[in-house]
């Protein structure tokens, strides 16, 4: 037997191999993004996902096998989200001064995100389960999947839509804000957090710490408001 093949067979059955692959893919993706001066299209999350997909396709590895090893990274999403409170505390005075604009922007952004998704889906003739799956696309995955499940949607479809929304938002947020000549990093970050949840927040932190702070705040608040808003909207449409 070829020693290289024997080594690959051994590594492919080890959970740590897929954890190492995930981390290595992101390191490579981040270096590519830095080489391209953090261009919006060079999103390291997108690049890393593509690299992992290619590796899984080439090795013919089922997702379940991959996730068994990579789930430690998934577990760290919780602590990483909690850690967003650190820059929030550091910028708390700025947040308090902006309380009213934050409230107005939150309601406007949340209603627009839910209303536009459901409205466009309705116009295109989407079925109720699809509409339920679309409604929470702009909030973080666990909340969105919970909303979809409660409304009779398809949680796995919702997860895909959430990731797609986050990636699209992270790519578009900087060019759109520049086009609109919005220079306030707090406003830019808050918009990214409302529209593109965690992936948008990660992009905001790459651009500016204040933007990342407000993006993290927006992500959390939008998750709460959407969880309250969508069932009310569903009840209204059913009536």
């Amino acid at each position: 037997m070829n020693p290289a093949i024997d080594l690959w067979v051994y590594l492919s059955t080890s959970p740590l191999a897929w954890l190492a692959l995930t981390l290595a893919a992101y390191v490579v993706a981040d270096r590519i993004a830095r080489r391209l001066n953090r261009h919006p299209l060079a999103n390291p999350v997108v690049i890393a996902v593509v690299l992992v997909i290619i590796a899984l396709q080439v090795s013919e590895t089922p997702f379940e096998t991959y996730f068994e090893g990579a789930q430690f990274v998934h577990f760290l999403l919780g602590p990483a989200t909690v850690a967003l409170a650190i820059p929030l505390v550091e910028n708390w005075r700025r947040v308090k001064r902006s309380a009213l604009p934050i409230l107005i922007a939150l309601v406007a952004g949340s209603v627009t995100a839910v209303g536009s998704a459901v409205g466009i889906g309705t116009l295109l003739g989407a079925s109720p389960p699809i509409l339920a799956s679309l409604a929470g696309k702009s909030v973080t995955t666990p909340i969105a999947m919970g909303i979809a499940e409660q409304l009779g949607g398809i949680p796995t479809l919702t997860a895909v839509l959430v990731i797609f929304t986050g990636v699209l938002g992270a790519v578009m947020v900087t060019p759109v804000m520049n086009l609109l000549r919005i220079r306030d990093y707090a406003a830019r970050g808050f918009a990214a957090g409302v529209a593109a949840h965690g992936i948008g927040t990660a992009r905001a932190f790459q651009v500016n710490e204040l933007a990342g702070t407000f993006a993290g705040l927006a992500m959390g608040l939008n998750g709460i408001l959407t969880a309250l808003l969508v069932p009310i909207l569903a009840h209204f449409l059913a009536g």
Side-chain angles (χ1 to χ4, degrees), residues 31 61 100 121 136 216:
R31 288 184 178 179
T61 302
L100 183 58

Side-chain angles (χ1 to χ4, degrees), residues 46 68 74 86 88 92-93 99 111 117-118 123 136 139 157 171 217:
V46 178
E68 182 182 350
H74 180 75
I86 296 174
L88 180 61
W92 185 243
R93 290 185 179 180
V111 170
V118 174
L123 289 175
V139 301
L157 174 59
V171 169
L217 175 64

Side-chain angles (χ1 to χ4, degrees), residues 69-236:
Q71 61 182 328
F72 182 67
V73 177
H74 180 75
F75 166 78
L76 289 177
L77 286 174
T81 302
V82 174
L84 292 174
I86 296 174
L88 180 61
V89 171
E90 294 175 349
N91 293 278
W92 185 243
R93 290 185 179 180
R94 174 68 184 272
V95 172
K96 287 198 299 183
R97 290 200 306 268
S98 307
L100 183 58
I102 284 174
L103 179 61
I104 294 172
L106 173 65
V107 173
S110 185
V111 170
T112 300
V114 174
S116 61
V118 174
I120 294 173
T122 301
L123 289 175
L124 294 176
S127 63
I130 299 298
L131 295 178
S133 303
L134 279 168
K137 65 173 181 55
S138 291
V139 301
T140 189
T141 306
I143 296 176
M145 292 179 70
I147 292 172
E149 187 174 5
Q150 289 294 321
L151 298 180
I154 308 168
T156 50
L157 174 59
T158 297
V160 173
L161 293 169
V162 168
I163 294 172
F164 178 77
T165 300
V167 169
L168 189 63
V171 169
M172 292 180 60
V173 63
T174 298
V176 169
M177 291 297 164
N178 290 340
L179 182 64
L180 296 175
R181 298 182 180 180
I182 297 175
R183 307 302 180 193
D184 186 345
Y185 279 115
R188 292 168 71 111
F190 198 85
V194 169
H197 50 83
I199 300 178
T201 298
R203 171 60 183 168
F205 269 111
Q206 290 176 347
V207 175
N208 180 272
E209 183 179 340
L210 182 62
T213 299
F214 274 79
L217 175 64
M219 179 180 68
L221 293 177
N222 189 42
I224 296 171
L225 183 58
T226 302
L228 297 173
L229 178 65
V230 171
I232 295 174
L233 177 62
H235 179 74
F236 174 77

